[in-house]
Amino acid sequence: MKIETVTSSEDFSLAVKLFKNYEKWAQACPCFEGFEKELDEIDKRYALPYGRLWLVKSRDGDAVGVVGIQLKEDACYELKRLWIEPEGRGYNTGQALIRMALDFAKEQGAHSVFLETVRGRMDHAIALYEKQGFRQVDLDDGSNVLKMSYRF
């Protein structure tokens, strides 16, 4: 497995495909509000100075994982769309992608990174985030949306 920074239109298209697979798996998760607009603007939202996007590629060159990070406000970033295809799991790719995003945010001078996830549906991801140092900040009981934060 190899992690690459997304810069080409071809790689942005691969990221869109992975984002859509993630959306399908998530089954109308609240974290996908405004998703179509995000896809339309992916090359702007996930490029400097607003953010960054990484792909995991298999030895064959197939895109099997993705994560993005976006600047939200002064020195605060949001980790977005961590998704690993089933064939890319089991190689610590999620952990490596999170580390890549956190290192990037730190290099940019961030004081924190937050994310939103969903209890019940994404408990495996929540455990992974906690293992990487994210802590629960808020839980919207009506939708089970969990906000987590990482502080540098």
Side-chain angles (χ1 to χ4, degrees), residues 43-44 77 97 137:
D43 59 333
K44 293 172 186 63
Y77 284 78
L97 284 171
V137 179

Side-chain angles (χ1 to χ4, degrees), residues 54-111:
W54 295 272
L55 288 176
V56 176
K57 291 188 177 176
S58 70
R59 291 182 189 155
D60 298 332
D62 297 327
V64 296
V66 66
V67 72
I69 194 163
Q70 293 180 324
L71 177 63
K72 289 299 178 179
E73 55 188 57
D74 188 38
C76 182
Y77 284 78
E78 181 178 12
L79 186 78
K80 308 239 340 152
R81 311 288 180 227
L82 175 63
W83 174 251
I84 311 294
E85 294 286 323
E87 62 270 22
R89 296 176 189 165
Y91 301 96
N92 295 319
T93 50
Q95 181 178 339
L97 284 171
I98 292 168
R99 219 39 278 153
M100 185 81 71
L102 290 174
D103 289 347
F104 169 82
K106 186 175 183 179
E107 289 169 9
Q108 300 302 308
H111 61 73

Side-chain angles (χ1 to χ4, degrees), residues 16-152:
V16 166
K17 179 182 174 196
L18 292 170
F19 279 15
K20 287 181 177 181
N21 290 350
Y22 178 32
E23 179 197 30
K24 182 190 281 185
W25 174 85
Q27 300 176 352
C29 171
C31 58
F32 284 93
E33 291 176 19
F35 186 59
E36 290 303 319
K37 185 174 181 181
E38 180 180 350
L39 294 180
D40 289 343
E41 299 172 349
I42 192 169
D43 59 333
K44 293 172 186 63
R45 290 185 183 207
Y46 293 101
L48 291 176
Y50 306 107
R52 189 62 95 189
L53 194 63
W54 295 272
L55 288 176
V56 176
K57 291 188 177 176
S58 70
R59 291 182 189 155
D60 298 332
D62 297 327
V64 296
V66 66
V67 72
I69 194 163
Q70 293 180 324
L71 177 63
K72 289 299 178 179
E73 55 188 57
D74 188 38
C76 182
Y77 284 78
E78 181 178 12
L79 186 78
K80 308 239 340 152
R81 311 288 180 227
L82 175 63
W83 174 251
I84 311 294
E85 294 286 323
E87 62 270 22
R89 296 176 189 165
Y91 301 96
N92 295 319
T93 50
Q95 181 178 339
L97 284 171
I98 292 168
R99 219 39 278 153
M100 185 81 71
L102 290 174
D103 289 347
F104 169 82
K106 186 175 183 179
E107 289 169 9
Q108 300 302 308
H111 61 73
S112 65
V113 175
F114 75 94
L115 61 86
E116 292 182 347
T117 188
V118 179
R119 283 216 185 274
R121 185 76 176 133
M122 300 178 183
D123 288 344
H124 182 73
I126 292 168
L128 177 62
Y129 296 135
E130 287 174 339
K131 186 176 178 183
Q132 296 303 306
F134 281 84
R135 298 293 170 246
Q136 180 176 328
V137 179
D138 189 28
L139 176 64
D140 177 351
D141 293 324
S143 66
N144 286 330
V145 174
L146 175 65
K147 188 171 183 179
M148 302 181 80
S149 178
Y150 180 96
R151 294 203 156 283
F152 293 102

